[in-house]
Amino acid sequence: MALDRDAVAHIAKLARIRVPEAELDTLAGELSTIISWVEQLDEVDTDAVEPMTSVVAQRLKQREDKVTDGGYPDKILANAPESVASYFAVPKVVE
Amino acid sequence: MSRLTDLTISAARDGLAEGDFSARELAESHIQAMEAARPLNAFVTETPERAIQMAEASDARRVKGEALPLDGIPLAIKDLYCTEGVLTTAGSHILDGFRPPYESTVTAQLWRDGAVMLGKTNMDEFAMGSANVTSHYGPVESPWRREGDNRALVPGGSSGGSAAAVAARIALGATGTDTGGSIRQPASFTGIVGLKPTYGRCSRWGIVAFASSLDQAGPMTRTVRDAAIMLGSMAGHDPKDSTSVDRLVPDYEAALTGGIRGLRVGVPAEYRMDGMPEEIEALWRRGEEWLTAAGADCVPIRLPHTKYALAAYYIVAPAEASSNLARYDGVRYGLRVPGDSVDAMYEGTRGEGFGTEVRRRVMIGAYVLSAGYYDAYYLKAQKVRTLILKDFTDAFEDVDVILAPTAPSAAFAIGEKEDDPIAMYLNDVFTVPASMAGLPGISVPAGLSGEGLPLGLQLIGRPFDEETVLRTAGVLEDAAGFDARPPAIPGA
């Protein structure tokens, strides 16, 4: 399927990536090429095939539901571009 | 004595044990090599002080008779592994300044066993690439050159800095990660050994995630034995990664002995692709002859869904990447581009922080997962993946290991293939199927192209049968007798 400029702008919005207007057409061309190329999978009959959920046959391990880590907000916040007290700070969300 | 940087890990281990040189001397030689090789751009961060500190601690342990399995061995670490207090970038602008407050499980195990960290190696941004040209920190140059042509070549990718460092004698070994071929393809391009273990063999905890159902850590070394030694330290169950498998780590080095008499080796017809250079076909046939001469039976096998693996991969991997990379939003670490609202900050940060290849893949991923397209693309790809795994499972009823080329070409020049994403994706046509099936695979340097560049052969094994893969790789290595050295080792 060919993706047009508007479709690409919509996908960029979904992915929360700002794409300059001037790049939308180029990107539409590139993404369309990739999407048409992967559509070769339509040749494969998958009617009676289960989708893969785990590549290695193993049961997902479970552990006791208890806190085993934490208690060091300073370490957690050390890389934050902006923090206030023990919180990450972001632009105002609610007026 | 030959230069310390020319040693293998196993020879360095012996030399250290016999007191021929100290861990400090070994570290210093490699630090000098790292400085001399700066034009290759193989490292994002050099950590010479830490290397000396770790080497001195290693010497002190040895004096006390407490030497560890990898004691004093200088290694380079792909910049996808979180290293406590040391800049970790994943080759991306969006992780500017990120110093993890924790250590990845695999690197922690290497340090537990005494290894020494030289630095963090350059890589394709978020491990997305096959030429190490998508890094925010610039492309890595391979130490190899075509005969009579001084143009800089790519080392392959995404673990290109690690591959260049090992090939150029800057490190005795390096860690890589492999999602669709990112260990094996650069190993093939640079004439070294690269092993992608079975999915689940090594913990992914603390490794920056690209595609979580495919990512796997592995060693990059100059010999098969060295890969076995490193894997022994890297592998093992980790409660912090629920997909890491709880089974014994065998003695991989011991698995190298015993020969391959009677081993059944599958040669998949589907890997003989149109337009493949004749010299790669010839090398593949020579590989069959070498294994046959060592007593193995090479038999043709069929892997009918091979041709669809790459297309399925380019749905599954971007889908998982779009989900994993959602965390880079300018809130908790790395780059933040200010905005009037939270959304404006997210969009600005991600617009500026991601390079063009990462942006393409995240957007492809967002598209194939979006409402109305999920079944047509993502679910379809996961069904095809089931068929790819079934091909291998059926083949392994008859054979013990599979022999194929690693990559469809030798290394190319920096700048080539950059304007056509799909031409770049085709580099991984022989490595992606094993990745989609979670299987162990190794690339062994097996010969030179007509232009004097390394070419690798690949062996693919049953799940968790790294031992057979390594043993067979050792036979290939002996028979090939690959002893070519890159012509452009800086400082040599």
Side-chain angles (χ1 to χ4, degrees), chain B residues 29 59 77 198 201 280 343 355 398 407:
Chain B
S29 306
D59 285 329
I77 302 299
T198 312
R201 183 66 289 190
I280 289 179
D343 273 329
D398 181 36

Side-chain angles (χ1 to χ4, degrees), chain B residues 50-65:
Chain B
R50 185 172 292 221
I52 294 292
Q53 212 176 46
M54 292 171 100
E56 284 176 345
S58 167
D59 285 329
R61 276 191 298 271
R62 200 173 293 279
V63 167
K64 286 194 280 179

Side-chain angles (χ1 to χ4, degrees), chain B residues 47-292:
Chain B
T47 57
E49 286 106 14
R50 185 172 292 221
I52 294 292
Q53 212 176 46
M54 292 171 100
E56 284 176 345
S58 167
D59 285 329
R61 276 191 298 271
R62 200 173 293 279
V63 167
K64 286 194 280 179
E66 295 168 0
L68 300 163
L70 277 176
D71 228 322
I73 301 299
L75 301 177
I77 302 299
K78 187 178 185 180
D79 212 14
L80 203 62
Y81 291 72
C82 287
T83 41
E84 191 171 356
V86 176
L87 183 69
T88 298
T89 69
S92 183
H93 184 30
I94 212 163
L95 272 170
D96 272 4
F98 175 55
R99 290 173 192 276
Y102 50 85
E103 186 78 24
S104 83
T105 297
V106 165
T107 49
Q109 290 177 181
L110 290 168
W111 315 144
R112 172 203 68 197
D113 285 353
V116 166
M117 177 163 81
L118 290 167
K120 305 292 294 289
T121 55
N122 202 345
M123 53 178 286
D124 279 302
E125 186 181 5
F126 285 110
M128 297 180 195
S130 307
N132 215 126
V133 293
T134 72
S135 169
H136 177 63
Y137 297 90
V140 174
E141 259 185 41
S142 170
W144 289 88
R145 291 288 182 277
R146 290 174 181 136
E147 269 165 28
D149 181 348
N150 205 34
R151 266 181 305 166
L153 303 177
V154 303
S158 66
S159 312
S162 290
V166 173
R169 274 70 179 167
I170 303 169
L172 292 184
T175 61
T177 62
D178 192 313
T179 302
S182 283
I183 288 176
R184 291 161 287 162
Q185 183 257 15
S188 178
F189 276 20
T190 57
I192 64 169
V193 174
L195 170 64
K196 181 198 94 77
T198 312
Y199 181 79
R201 183 66 289 190
C202 296
S203 168
R204 292 181 295 107
W205 193 83
I207 297 173
V208 174
F210 161 16
S212 300
S213 76
L214 297 155
D215 297 344
Q216 195 43 207
M220 304 177 80
T221 56
R222 292 196 289 267
T223 67
V224 171
R225 178 171 300 274
D226 287 359
I229 292 170
M230 269 185 79
L231 181 62
S233 289
M234 295 169 73
H237 175 61
D238 176 10
K240 288 187 283 197
D241 173 5
S242 62
T243 63
S244 87
V245 170
D246 194 357
R247 56 192 286 162
L248 200 74
V249 178
D251 182 343
Y252 291 116
E253 211 182 345
L256 296 177
T257 51
I260 57 163
R261 193 154 295 281
L263 190 83
R264 288 180 66 79
V265 179
V267 180
E270 289 78 6
Y271 282 53
R272 199 155 273 124
M273 292 201 167
D274 291 344
M276 188 159 87
E278 167 53 32
E279 61 189 7
I280 289 179
E281 283 223 44
L283 185 73
W284 191 10
R285 282 194 299 272
R286 218 169 308 140
E288 277 186 62
E289 288 160 18
W290 288 329
L291 296 179
T292 306

Side-chain angles (χ1 to χ4, degrees), chain B residues 374-440:
Chain B
Y374 181 89
D375 287 3
Y377 295 106
Y378 186 70
L379 210 60
K380 179 81 184 182
Q382 290 289 39
K383 288 179 178 176
V384 173
R385 196 173 173 189
T386 298
L387 294 172
I388 292 163
L389 175 60
K390 186 174 180 303
D391 283 356
F392 279 109
T393 307
D394 292 348
F396 282 125
E397 301 221 332
D398 181 36
V399 300
D400 302 301
V401 72
I402 293 168
L403 174 73
T406 306
S409 75
F412 43 89
I414 293 176
E416 278 173 24
K417 306 193 187 192
E418 277 182 42
D419 43 6
D420 180 357
I422 291 172
M424 190 65 93
Y425 297 171
L426 285 169
N427 271 290
D428 296 328
V429 66
F430 298 140
T431 47
V432 153
S435 296
M436 292 297 271
L439 301 171

